[in-house]
Amino acid sequence: MSIRYRNPVHPTYFADPFVLRTGSGYVAYGTGKVVDGRPFEVLTSPDLVHWTSVGGALEPLPPEQGTDYWAPEVAEHEGRWWMYYSVGFEDRGHHLRVAVADTPTGPFRDQGVNLTPNERFAIDASPFRDDDGTWYLFHARDVLEGARVGTMLAVDVLDGMTALRGGPRTMLTPSDDWQIYQRQRPMYGQVYDWHTLEGPSVVKRHGRYWCFYSGGSWLTPSYGVAYAVADHPLGPWTEPKGVPPLLRTVPGRVIGPGHNSVVVGPDGQDVMVYHAWDVGQTARRMCIDPIVWTPEGPRVLGPTDDDIELPRR
């Protein structure tokens, strides 16, 4: 049975949306609001289209540990829900942490662990469980080596839900000018043409692993979503040649679509959940559009801003 929707599907600020399917519907977590003193607003929905705010997710840390909370993602494991997120001061000093709750809507309580103490900057943690039960944590981190310097994607194995094995490997590096965040950006005492890959989201489909990620500057229309593919979560990962980003700005309508997650919709079709700016760039709001799997790879039927149906083929 189809349902009509129009993006954005939630009217207020809700950046970096992650959606978890539960037995009773869907739960979304986003960057931006502090509700009832807790970072990360939590929304619930029966159908991905109609959303209700149910409070804030995370019991905050002492302010000396960070004031700005970014990009929560949640995984269920053995009857508890584990939230991975970053915290820092504005856009500096972010590290990955983990919190746990007894219900998917929280409250989540930090477990006192800095998962990335040796990184310069680490954000956008995304947990993924493989078929054999192994958990991986995909994330973005700053790397100053290579032809294209900047924030790029990495992966490590989770030992339990509160520790990384400690062998992070770069899984994807910048490969194109559309991924430039800012030219001549002062960073770490130098000046770089800074590239950004961030917001990884991994699914296994058709026997392979697909990582959807965002590139460019979240502040500008250059921002978009692309993908890479691998035969194992640890790689090697490759990008398709000559394939444009799956989501890109539609001038005058949808600006900077990106930072996606992937969830199975009510009818079984994969749905990409992402944020996009309004034309005036006053707020990033949550949007949805279906993913279609073709012999050539995934395609997203978006970004859209008109009245249409979910699912779509």
Side-chain angles (χ1 to χ4, degrees), residues 75-77 127-130 133-137 156-158 160-161:
E76 188 275 329
H77 181 62
F128 171 78
R129 183 185 183 274
D130 203 1
T134 303
W135 283 94
Y136 299 87
L137 194 69
D156 201 350
V157 178
L158 277 165
M161 302 303 281

Side-chain angles (χ1 to χ4, degrees), residues 5-7 253 304-308:
Y5 73 98
R6 180 190 291 270
N7 284 323
R253 296 179 62 183
T304 63
D305 65 347
D306 48 2
D307 187 78
I308 45 180

Side-chain angles (χ1 to χ4, degrees), residues 107-180:
F108 290 83
R109 292 178 173 83
D110 186 85
Q111 296 301 287
V113 178
N114 179 352
L115 294 171
T116 54
N118 298 320
E119 298 288 357
R120 298 179 181 92
F121 179 86
I123 59 172
D124 296 355
S126 184
F128 171 78
R129 183 185 183 274
D130 203 1
D131 296 337
D132 64 1
T134 303
W135 283 94
Y136 299 87
L137 194 69
F138 295 86
H139 58 282
R141 61 176 181 172
D142 285 359
V143 178
L144 305 184
E145 296 77 38
R148 294 179 182 264
V149 167
T151 305
M152 50 196 77
L153 303 184
V155 59
D156 201 350
V157 178
L158 277 165
D159 282 331
M161 302 303 281
T162 60
L164 289 174
R165 188 162 293 175
R169 63 177 69 186
T170 297
M171 58 164 286
L172 200 64
T173 60
S175 60
D176 199 277
D177 283 355
W178 77 268
Q179 300 160 343
I180 291 175

